[in-house]
Amino acid sequence: MVQLITPQLLDALTVRAKSSPRLRTNHNFHKTYEENPNRFLNVMARGTYFTPHRHSDPPKSETFLVLRGRIIFLTFQEDGEIATANRLGEDADYGIDIAPGVWHTILVETETAVCFEIKPGPYVPANDKDFAPWAPREGEKDCMRYADSLWDKARLHLSR
């Protein structure tokens, strides 16, 4: 089977992401979660919050390519301090590949952004992510305050 990644597909997914309560949506190219690798589009609007997480049990690497928009990809030290901040997408690097077990999150810098992601399958929701113990989970009362603090810290890293 062939699946094209077209401007029309990205436009439709962007509309869906902007109207989603989580301000994001996925479009899977794999037919089942058991497929290896999992391949999908992650379409995000500014203001979405991804709880910092890692993929360590089982260990999984991830590759992100930004097709539209611009994001800031953050990695963290074990104590929750930012290790790296990388601007990806428009007028920046195209993407990033991270090793298993690296704490990370995404901040959407433009109004919307579209990433093509690849990671090993199978996807098992119960153990796909280890959420950072030092960060609030999505939906918790302090998550947006924490996200705002990440923006401030990311800007400092990017200005170095």
Side-chain angles (χ1 to χ4, degrees):
M1 177 177 187
V2 174
Q3 298 182 66
L4 292 174
I5 301 171
T6 64
Q8 295 79 11
L9 174 62
L10 300 187
D11 291 344
L13 292 170
T14 297
V15 168
R16 187 182 330 157
K18 289 169 76 172
S19 64
S20 164
R22 298 175 76 200
L23 296 175
R24 65 180 185 261
T25 192
N26 282 3
H27 176 83
N28 295 342
F29 293 104
H30 48 280
K31 290 209 178 288
T32 69
Y33 290 143
E34 288 74 32
E35 278 188 44
N36 192 15
N38 286 184
R39 302 145 347 263
F40 56 98
L41 296 172
N42 192 343
V43 183
M44 307 156 281
R46 186 184 304 127
T48 191
Y49 173 69
F50 292 90
T51 303
H53 62 279
R54 64 183 176 186
H55 306 278
S56 60
D57 184 22
K60 294 184 179 185
S61 59
E62 282 187 281
T63 301
F64 297 81
L65 296 172
V66 181
L67 304 180
R68 274 191 183 170
R70 193 172 51 245
I71 65 170
I72 298 174
F73 192 93
L74 300 175
T75 65
F76 299 89
Q77 299 171 22
E78 288 296 320
D79 63 2
E81 291 299 314
I82 293 176
T84 65
N86 292 280
R87 183 172 274 126
L88 305 174
E90 294 173 4
D91 303 318
D93 293 326
Y94 299 114
I96 197 165
D97 184 80
I98 62 168
V102 174
W103 294 109
H104 62 281
T105 195
I106 294 172
L107 303 173
V108 180
E109 193 170 25
T110 50
E111 181 182 347
T112 60
V114 178
C115 288
F116 179 70
E117 296 185 31
I118 304 167
K119 67 179 176 179
Y123 169 72
V124 179
N127 72 347
D128 180 63
K129 295 177 179 75
D130 299 326
F131 291 106
W134 32 260
R137 298 280 295 268
E138 180 181 353
E140 291 181 353
K141 69 175 185 152
D142 290 334
C143 71
M144 295 318 291
R145 184 177 310 134
Y146 175 74
D148 289 342
S149 75
L150 288 180
W151 276 104
D152 294 338
K153 292 174 184 178
R155 287 184 186 104
L156 285 174
H157 271 265
L158 290 168
S159 67
R160 293 179 184 168

